[in-house]
Amino acid sequence: MTDIEDVGLTAALRNFGELVRCKRQACRWYFRELAEKTGIDIAKLSDVEQGVEALTDIERETLCEFFGIDIDAFPKMLRNERRKAASENAETPDGLRSAPVVDLTRYRESWQKITTLPRD
């Protein structure tokens, strides 16, 4: 998985979790009640709201159907976040990446010109 996919997946999971939390709180349900109604484990529901990938596709669809969320909501969020991450990454010039990288070939070439090889 590339960095863009990681960033997109993390953002989509966070957005989906916020959506589920808003729906659950609007209904004034606790995790226990929601788990009983959907058949999804309480720990998984908590992880979803925190933006952790914990659900299978079937469980995610069950949760969407239960709350009246479009079943394609998560794939759409994922696609949009990956697209957004890719466009932000494309706008950053290679010289301005976040990790400091030293171009050793430039230094090696000048070093080789001024350094002599050891003699036997």
Side-chain angles (χ1 to χ4, degrees):
M1 190 176 289
T2 65
D3 290 340
I4 293 170
E5 290 173 345
D6 282 344
V7 171
L9 179 61
T10 303
L13 287 169
R14 189 174 48 247
N15 291 342
F16 185 74
E18 289 173 10
L19 178 62
V20 169
R21 179 183 298 118
C22 289
K23 295 283 190 176
R24 180 182 61 80
Q25 289 175 343
C27 295
R28 298 176 188 240
W29 287 331
Y30 294 106
F31 285 116
R32 181 178 39 82
E33 296 168 326
L34 184 58
E36 289 171 1
K37 294 176 186 292
T38 60
I40 300 172
D41 186 46
I42 294 172
K44 286 185 176 184
L45 292 171
S46 177
D47 286 346
V48 166
E49 288 190 6
Q50 293 175 17
V52 177
E53 186 174 18
L55 297 179
T56 63
D57 290 338
I58 294 170
E59 291 171 329
R60 190 177 296 119
E61 288 177 11
T62 301
L63 200 57
C64 286
E65 287 176 6
F66 184 78
F67 280 127
I69 301 170
D70 181 22
I71 291 176
D72 293 329
F74 181 74
K76 288 177 184 177
M77 288 178 190
L78 183 59
R79 189 170 40 250
N80 289 338
E81 293 298 333
R82 283 184 176 163
R83 190 176 302 136
K84 194 184 313 180
S87 68
E88 289 172 1
N89 194 24
E91 294 172 3
T92 306
D94 287 337
L96 299 176
R97 298 271 184 234
S98 60
V101 178
V102 178
D103 183 14
L104 293 178
T105 56
R106 184 177 63 182
Y107 293 108
R108 185 181 304 133
E109 289 171 356
S110 62
W111 176 79
Q112 286 175 343
K113 290 178 186 175
I114 59 172
T115 306
T116 58
L117 296 174
R119 296 182 185 171
D120 291 330

